[in-house]
């Protein structure tokens, strides 16, 4: 993925508890780390969260995001992630209210909006996410206008070549693509071709 042009490696951790599926843990992150120079973006779909944060930081994560419903103490978890030297962020399911952001904007480096309900790859983008992206964009811009730090706005779920421009135009600056890329034929340059089409479409929309 790095050779194909990815800026980040998005790493989906599911625990068969917070979401009904089971994926990979810190050992796999640690095994990938020596093969990548780009940041590893760990998305924790787990409950509880705190126990795994130090493990992923040690395994080479650069960003760690979690769902507020997975933590008993959101403020504490955000601080724990930063204390371990990683960028920290909150993830919002389609039905999770943005009010979770109200009192923690100073502790956030990234907001991750789910454009599908998490648990499985290959789902279709939920169109109402576009309103939510605009709402988060407005919050981040207002925060920065008051002198706040940079906050990335990442979108995860059903991003494809044919909808990434809309997502970028709504205000996202970071995009997770799974099946759009892995579904392309490779070898044969399919991964890098999809990656550059995604990048061109996103940049065209936000330019
Ligand atoms: Zn994810």
């Amino acid at each position: 993925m790095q050779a194909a042009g990815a800026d980040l490696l998005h790493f989906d951790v599911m625990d068969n508890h917070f979401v009904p599926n089971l994926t990979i843990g810190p050992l796999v992150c640690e095994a990938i780390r020596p093969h990548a120079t780009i940041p590893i973006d760990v998305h924790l779909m787990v409950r509880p969260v705190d126990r795994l944060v130090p493990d992923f930081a040690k395994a080479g994560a650069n960003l760690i995001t979690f769902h507020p419903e997975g933590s008993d103490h959101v403020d504490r978890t955000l601080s724990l992630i930063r204390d371990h030297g990683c960028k920290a962020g909150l993830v919002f399911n389609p039905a999770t209210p943005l009010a979770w952001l109200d009192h923690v904007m100073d502790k956030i480096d990234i907001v991750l909006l789910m454009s599908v309900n998490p648990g499985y790859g290959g789902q279709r983008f939920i169109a109402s996410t576009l309103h939510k992206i605009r709402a988060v964009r407005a919050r981040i811009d207002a925060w920065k206008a008051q002198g706040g730090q940079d906050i990335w706005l990442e979108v995860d779920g059903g991003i494809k070549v044919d909808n990434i421009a809309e997502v970028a135009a709504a205000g996202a600056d970071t995009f997770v693509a799974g099946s759009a890329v892995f579904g392309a034929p490779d070898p044969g340059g399919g991964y890098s071709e999809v990656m550059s089409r995604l990048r061109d479409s996103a940049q065209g929309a936000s330019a």
Side-chain angles (χ1 to χ4, degrees):
M1 286 301 123
Q2 179 171 324
D7 300 308
L8 299 169
L9 285 174
H10 187 79
F11 191 94
D12 281 326
V13 182
M14 305 184 189
D15 68 348
N16 184 39
H17 180 70
F18 182 69
V19 291
N21 200 354
L22 186 64
T23 59
I24 44 183
L27 289 177
V28 177
C29 184
E30 192 179 357
I32 290 170
R33 181 71 279 176
H35 301 282
T37 54
I38 55 176
I40 299 180
D41 171 26
V42 172
H43 172 192
L44 296 177
M45 288 164 271
V46 305
R47 185 170 57 218
V49 181
D50 292 6
R51 170 52 198 85
L52 287 172
V53 166
D55 290 4
F56 274 102
K58 276 191 215 108
N62 303 92
L63 300 92
I64 300 178
T65 59
F66 65 97
H67 293 251
E69 301 93 333
S71 169
D72 287 329
H73 196 322
V74 165
D75 191 307
R76 178 188 159 84
T77 304
L78 288 168
S79 299
L80 180 68
I81 294 170
R82 282 185 164 181
D83 288 349
H84 281 81
C86 299
K87 289 184 183 292
L90 284 182
V91 193
F92 295 82
N93 284 342
T96 302
L98 296 178
W100 284 103
L101 289 171
D102 285 351
H103 308 289
V104 293
M105 287 295 276
D106 59 324
K107 297 195 167 63
I108 285 182
D109 302 296
I110 184 160
V111 174
L112 175 51
L113 287 186
M114 294 305 301
S115 40
V116 299
N117 282 292
Y120 297 93
Q123 299 187 70
R124 286 176 64 87
F125 183 87
I126 298 172
S128 60
T129 310
L130 292 170
H131 300 290
K132 210 168 181 183
I133 298 169
R134 289 185 204 103
V136 175
R137 180 80 267 154
R139 279 179 182 250
I140 292 173
D141 290 348
W143 176 251
K144 287 189 70 175
Q146 293 168 37
Q149 81 284 6
D150 280 340
I151 299 176
W152 297 358
L153 174 41
E154 181 177 34
V155 179
D156 185 3
I159 302 279
K160 310 272 182 214
V161 170
D162 63 10
N163 64 14
I164 193 170
E166 265 185 306
V167 175
D173 52 35
T174 308
F175 310 88
V176 178
S179 51
V181 178
F182 288 106
D186 207 89
Y191 293 169
S192 48
E193 191 193 318
V194 172
M195 208 84 79
S196 63
R197 288 176 66 199
L198 287 166
R199 188 185 303 280
D200 290 349
S201 301
Q203 285 175 342
S206 53

